[in-house]
Amino acid sequence: MERPSFERIYMDLAFQLARRSTCSRLNVGTVITSKDYRKVLAVGYNGNASGLANNCDSSEVGNCGCLHSEENAVINCDSHRFMEKIVFVTHLPCVMCAKRLINLGGVLKIFYANDYRSPDSIGVLTQVGISVVRLDQLVRPPELGAN
């Protein structure tokens, strides 16, 4: 058995978290780790706010009312801004989530597995020095099934 990389392990975790999503359109998961991969700092998946019904507010694409997984991970992350972080997301973040990750502070790199509607966030992230890497080999890991 091949020893998996940390990148593989955390992307697999992001896909597992996406299974908790309550969004009817797209299931997304996020993991934020320390730079050395030794600590999971926060996790998130997309869905409605805590305490509200576990479904979308609307069926309109882009306006379903669900919080994005990156947004939930940022909310859950209580590490200092200066702590260097690596982010793993099942899908490329949208522009607004890219901005949230920028404001989290310390994000060095974002790994993602699947494209999102628009690639515009890549320009936003690289503009501030955050590296964005697509892990093609991790798209829909067979042992985890479809996302």
Side-chain angles (χ1 to χ4, degrees):
M1 183 169 157
E2 185 178 327
R3 184 175 185 217
S5 67
F6 280 116
E7 291 87 356
R8 178 67 190 213
I9 288 169
Y10 289 126
M11 189 60 77
D12 285 351
L13 178 56
F15 274 96
Q16 287 289 351
L17 287 162
R19 295 175 62 204
R20 289 197 46 83
S21 169
T22 57
C23 182
S24 60
R25 190 185 69 78
L26 185 65
N27 304 130
V28 182
T30 299
V31 178
I32 301 174
T33 72
S34 59
K35 176 184 173 183
D36 64 1
Y37 301 122
R38 302 292 182 217
K39 294 181 181 180
V40 172
L41 303 174
V43 299
Y45 52 88
N46 58 328
N48 215 336
S50 296
L52 297 179
N54 281 329
N55 54 31
C56 298
D57 296 337
S58 164
S59 60
E60 181 183 344
V61 175
N63 196 28
C64 72
C66 290
L67 294 160
H68 289 195
S69 72
E70 304 94 327
E71 188 172 18
N72 277 321
V74 167
I75 290 167
N76 293 328
C77 190
D78 60 1
S79 69
H80 297 284
R81 290 184 51 77
F82 61 81
M83 183 172 194
E84 294 177 319
K85 302 166 188 74
I86 307 293
V87 178
F88 298 85
V89 190
T90 58
H91 294 72
L92 179 67
C94 70
V95 170
M96 291 309 294
C97 283
K99 290 179 179 182
R100 289 177 181 101
L101 289 166
I102 290 167
N103 277 357
L104 177 62
V107 175
L108 301 174
K109 185 180 287 188
I110 296 174
F111 290 103
Y112 74 99
N114 296 304
D115 289 327
Y116 190 58
R117 279 180 281 194
S118 168
D120 293 348
S121 63
I122 294 173
V124 173
L125 292 161
T126 57
Q127 186 176 348
V128 297
I130 297 174
S131 174
V132 181
V133 178
R134 180 169 181 176
L135 294 175
D136 291 328
Q137 70 276 17
L138 298 180
V139 176
R140 295 181 184 247
E143 67 275 10
L144 296 180
N147 52 338

